[in-house]
Amino acid sequence: MKFLGLNDFQFKDQKVLLRLDLNAPVEEGKVTNDERLIRSLPTISHILEEEGKLIIISHLGRPEENDLYQPKFSLSPIVKRLEELLGKSIPLIEGLDNVPSIESGELLVLENIRFLKGEKSNEPELSKKLANLADIFVMDAFATSHRAHSSTAGIIEFSKNACAGLLLREEVNALSKLMLKESTSSLAVLGGAKISTKLNLINSLSEKMGAVILGGGLANTCLAAQGYFVGNSLIEESMLGQALELSKKNNVIIPEKVIVANSSNEEGIVTHVDKVKKGQSIFDVAPDSFVELRGLFENATTILWNGPMGLFEEPQFSSGTKKVAEMIASSKAFSVCGGGDTISAAADAGVLDRLDYVSTAGGAFLEFVEGRKLPALEALQLKALK
Ligand code: 3PG
């Protein structure tokens, strides 16, 4: 993918509008995971060190788009954490009409861009207004690049200059590397609750990769579709037909040893998928299932991981996810994981720093590896051609 980058511009004394994804979890006014902020720092520092006049925009959560300030969704806790990370105070400005002028090498942050009418509907009026705030627009919110919003895609067409930031480029490079190395020795490990949200992804990856191992609710639904009795396990009834088609693919692997219990408060029992009893639920994949598949992990050249294998938040049902995390981290493959739950699971398993690349994105990560076109990336490419 060809975009213009930071090195194509001189930022000195230029007004720069930087779109970041600072959509981080906040509890009681405090950021509880600052990974997205930390990964945004290189682009911020580059622009400030070159003495640009920096305006940062981001969304936080999903507020109502009504031009009104909604305290619950204020970027204030994010800005506080950013101040700590950068060691300087940062004004937080509401609305677009009174954006103060900025000294070279200084920055400010605009309030949650999703307060503004027209953001999510990608209204050209808002895109133009945003574009007019700056001489150069820098898009570094890879995690929001699958949204065709005013501040991610719409703005690019109206900006005098637009380029990709360092994180966006890093994400695209790492994920492209993963997809370019498609071969019979590439492996995907997919878990999570709902097969409906990942059906296209599983189909697309099973066409491109050597094997796709399923866990969690995705696997339970396939087991039920194949006629196994799954008790009270989490499944999606409406997806049984499509799950059956998926299960018929030779390279879609559904582990056969699982961990069951009568409730999530009880200890789990390892059993075979054809021995699940009435009242029981499958809460995890048994680690042995992955040991039996170790050849796939040892021979893999690339591994993509998204989604936990079971109810990993409960310690007695985390062993399947921990085992798969360990096997991915120990393999010689180029390993990539993405998605909030997956990152938490990798952190719990203590393997986060042993994976080759950890994407900051959730939905955008999945759409990218599925091979879909992401609107903000498309717009950046188009701009680079002009
Ligand atoms: C994310 O967390 O995946 C991104 O910030 C996008 O958020 P959204 O799903 O609310 O658009």
Side-chain angles (χ1 to χ4, degrees):
M1 281 185 177
K2 288 222 163 73
F3 319 121
L4 295 175
L6 297 188
N7 291 335
D8 294 305
F9 294 94
Q10 309 269 329
F11 291 99
K12 188 166 170 50
D13 303 330
Q14 298 293 299
K15 282 193 267 170
V16 184
L17 187 67
L18 171 62
R19 174 55 157 110
L20 297 175
D21 187 329
L22 303 178
N23 186 26
V26 173
E27 273 168 37
E28 292 172 6
K30 286 221 160 72
V31 174
T32 54
N33 181 334
D34 60 5
E35 181 70 12
R36 283 184 172 170
L37 281 68
I38 289 176
R39 302 273 295 272
S40 300
L41 292 178
T43 297
I44 297 176
S45 302
H46 181 106
I47 298 166
L48 293 181
E49 277 161 21
E50 280 209 2
E51 295 189 35
K53 303 173 175 186
L54 180 59
I55 302 173
I56 293 177
I57 48 174
S58 174
H59 71 284
L60 178 68
R62 294 175 175 173
E64 282 197 38
E65 192 184 284
N66 55 11
D67 282 338
L68 295 177
Y69 173 79
Q70 298 153 62
K72 195 174 144 211
F73 294 100
S74 168
L75 281 174
S76 163
I78 304 282
V79 170
K80 266 194 211 128
R81 183 68 193 120
L82 211 50
E83 286 180 325
E84 288 166 8
L85 291 168
L86 289 168
K88 56 185 351 179
S89 70
I90 307 172
L92 175 60
I93 308 297
E94 260 181 65
L96 301 183
D97 297 327
N98 297 306
V99 179
S101 59
I102 315 165
E103 297 290 310
S104 297
E106 291 301 324
L107 79 165
L108 58 79
V109 176
L110 297 185
E111 256 302 358
N112 195 335
I113 199 75
R114 287 190 181 169
F115 289 166
L116 301 181
K117 270 191 196 152
E119 162 63 0
K120 285 194 278 180
S121 44
N122 196 8
E123 292 299 329
E125 278 317 300
L126 178 60
S127 302
K128 273 184 218 164
K129 217 168 167 183
L130 288 169
N132 286 338
L133 291 175
D135 306 302
I136 307 170
F137 172 65
V138 179
M139 172 60 182
D140 210 19
F142 176 76
T144 325
S145 59
H146 59 319
R147 305 288 184 217
H149 293 176
S150 267
S151 73
T152 57
I155 182 175
I156 293 173
E157 183 191 337
F158 299 107
S159 294
K160 282 176 245 160
N161 301 291
C163 69
L166 298 170
L167 175 60
L168 185 141
R169 198 174 272 281
E170 176 192 292
E171 295 268 9
V172 169
N173 286 347
L175 304 186
S176 304
K177 193 165 155 195
L178 179 83
M179 302 321 288
L180 281 176
K181 282 199 187 166
E182 285 163 13
S183 73
T184 48
S185 57
S186 55
L187 176 64
V189 178
L190 303 176
K194 287 190 169 177
I195 199 161
S196 52
T197 58
K198 296 195 183 160
L199 186 76
N200 292 337
L201 177 73
I202 305 170
N203 268 319
S204 138
L205 292 181
S206 66
E207 299 297 320
K208 298 174 191 160
M209 302 188 102
V212 180
I213 302 176
L214 301 184
L218 318 184
N220 295 349
T221 305
C222 289
L223 288 169
Q226 288 172 305
Y228 286 101
F229 177 73
V230 295
N232 298 332
S233 304
L234 175 75
I235 65 161
E236 271 181 288
E237 293 277 353
S238 61
M239 297 300 294
L240 290 175
Q242 295 176 73
L244 182 60
E245 288 312 306
L246 264 189
S247 325
K248 286 182 189 159
K249 295 190 173 196
N250 285 335
N251 63 346
V252 173
I253 299 169
I254 307 182
E256 295 192 339
K257 284 183 191 155
V258 291
I259 299 183
V260 296
N262 286 320
S263 88
S264 59
N265 305 322
E266 291 181 7
E267 282 306 306
I269 308 161
V270 175
T271 193
H272 192 272
V273 288
D274 62 5
K275 302 235 165 29
V276 179
K277 298 196 183 94
K278 201 165 167 219
Q280 291 182 329
S281 302
I282 301 172
F283 285 122
D284 198 6
V285 174
D288 255 7
S289 283
F290 297 118
V291 177
E292 283 164 14
L293 297 169
R294 65 179 166 271
L296 286 177
F297 291 83
E298 284 167 5
N299 296 326
T301 47
T302 57
I303 304 180
L304 180 162
W305 175 28
N306 173 262
M309 298 293 103
L311 199 60
F312 79 105
E313 300 88 345
E314 300 291 340
Q316 71 275 31
F317 303 118
S318 64
S319 58
T321 303
K322 284 191 172 143
K323 184 71 192 173
V324 89
E326 183 53 46
M327 288 177 74
I328 295 171
S330 307
S331 86
K332 290 190 225 69
F334 176 70
S335 54
V336 174
C337 88
D341 272 359
T342 319
I343 294 172
S344 305
D348 277 4
V351 303
L352 206 49
D353 53 3
R354 289 165 55 211
L355 299 171
D356 290 295
Y357 192 72
V358 177
S359 174
T360 57
F365 167 79
L366 295 179
E367 289 196 21
F368 190 95
V369 296
E370 194 186 312
R372 284 166 64 173
K373 294 193 185 315
L374 309 192
L377 304 189
E378 292 287 293
L380 278 175
Q381 277 180 293
L382 205 65
K383 191 79 177 176
L385 286 176
K386 280 184 182 163

